[in-house]
Amino acid sequence: MSFSPMELMICCAARELDDGKTVAVGTGLPCAAAMLAQRTHAPNLVIMFEAGGVAPQLPTMPVSVGDSTTFHRAVLATSMADVMQFCQRGMVDYTFLSGAQIDPFGNLNSTAIGPHAKPKVRLPGSGGANDLASFCWRTLIVMKHDAKKFVEKLDFLTTPGYLTGPGAREAAGLPLHTGPHRVITDLCVLDFVPDTKRMRVKSLHPGKSLDQVRAATGFALEACDPLGTTVEPNAEQLHILRTEVDPGRYILGRAG
């Protein structure tokens, strides 16, 4: 059964979400992944939105984190301050992030390209990304894979990954056992080497090669041994995605 890069990325992200856990999401791909996980293997997944919706039963894809659907039959309709407090208290297992740049340790830049004082491009900034990556247990990063995004050194550090390597998060005062967990791109799925905290290729998407991934990465990239192949979306997942999660193709219509 054929599928798009976006559908593959959503299914990869959904598989990372376990039943009975909590996930803080925004709109777009993260929300689609959470909705798909709820409708397949994780019916008890608790979804939280930055604007304050906690454990809604999402009837359709919301268009923003403050969309009324993010409060539909929710357990709690609260505020951003409370959701961030839940993260600080260690109550949120997963969050999703992205950025304009990512480095080998999973640090993210969503602030500026070029010198901060006079950038080539001014980006939206952190929003809640710094807080979420600092305090949620596992950060899932989803982004397009190219050498301009996967860089040796960020132009600006917006959001902490493993900072400079082992022990750096803890030295900065961040909680133990938190940090980037997976990076999901249109070419592969990556994780982090436990000893060095550097990114490595965990699985290649069908039809993609390790040389292709390395050519699209601006730093040296290890690979797992053995190197896996990403599991393709199955017919049930694709049907749910296309008919229940995003029938209007707000997300699925994107290239990935």
Side-chain angles (χ1 to χ4, degrees):
M1 192 170 185
S2 62
F3 51 86
S4 70
M6 180 61 73
E7 289 171 331
L8 176 58
M9 292 168 70
I10 292 170
C11 290
C12 287
R15 280 194 292 270
E16 297 294 337
L17 303 174
D18 295 328
D19 195 28
K21 300 293 187 178
T22 52
V23 57
V25 303
T27 50
L29 187 153
C31 185
M35 291 173 70
L36 177 62
Q38 269 194 338
R39 286 163 165 77
T40 52
H41 66 278
N44 301 301
L45 178 70
V46 175
I47 300 174
M48 298 183 182
F49 287 92
E50 189 176 330
V54 177
Q57 296 179 19
L58 295 168
T60 57
M61 174 71 67
V63 297
S64 75
V65 293
D67 187 328
S68 60
T69 59
T70 66
F71 297 92
H72 179 71
R73 300 185 70 182
V75 170
L76 187 63
T78 183
S79 67
M80 182 185 296
D82 280 342
V83 172
M84 292 303 179
Q85 181 191 139
F86 298 153
C87 297
Q88 292 169 2
R89 292 170 64 186
M91 298 171 65
V92 183
D93 296 296
Y94 306 103
T95 192
F96 283 95
L97 295 177
S98 189
Q101 292 178 327
I102 187 169
D103 74 6
F105 298 106
N107 302 303
L108 291 166
N109 171 23
S110 58
T111 299
I113 302 298
H116 184 260
K118 194 175 181 180
K120 296 177 182 177
V121 180
R122 178 71 69 185
L123 301 167
S126 172
N130 188 299
D131 304 75
L132 293 169
S134 294
F135 297 114
C136 295
W137 291 104
R138 291 182 171 182
T139 301
L140 306 171
I141 300 163
V142 184
M143 57 194 298
K144 187 175 177 64
H145 205 136
D146 68 56
K148 291 183 179 180
K149 291 180 173 289
F150 283 69
V151 298
E152 186 68 45
K153 182 176 174 56
L154 303 178
D155 290 346
F156 186 90
L157 174 57
T158 308
T159 303
Y162 289 112
L163 296 175
T164 57
R169 281 180 66 91
E170 295 79 6
L174 299 180
L176 287 167
H177 311 305
T178 60
H181 179 60
R182 295 284 187 270
V183 181
I184 299 167
T185 79
D186 51 335
L187 299 180
C188 63
V189 177
L190 306 106
D191 64 2
F192 294 84
V193 180
D195 293 339
T196 66
K197 302 302 184 184
R198 284 183 65 97
M199 199 183 302
R200 68 180 174 186
V201 184
K202 185 175 188 291
S203 70
L204 294 170
H205 293 342
K208 307 301 181 183
S209 70
L210 185 56
D211 287 342
Q212 187 177 358
V213 172
R214 284 174 169 159
T217 307
F219 51 84
L221 194 59
E222 295 183 33
C224 289
D225 185 16
L227 178 58
T229 300
T230 305
V231 176
E232 297 184 3
N234 60 40
E236 179 192 14
Q237 289 171 320
L238 291 173
H239 177 74
I240 292 171
L241 262 181
R242 294 168 182 175
T243 63
E244 297 182 30
V245 173
D246 189 21
R249 299 192 64 80
Y250 300 116
I251 307 304
L252 299 183
R254 300 177 187 175

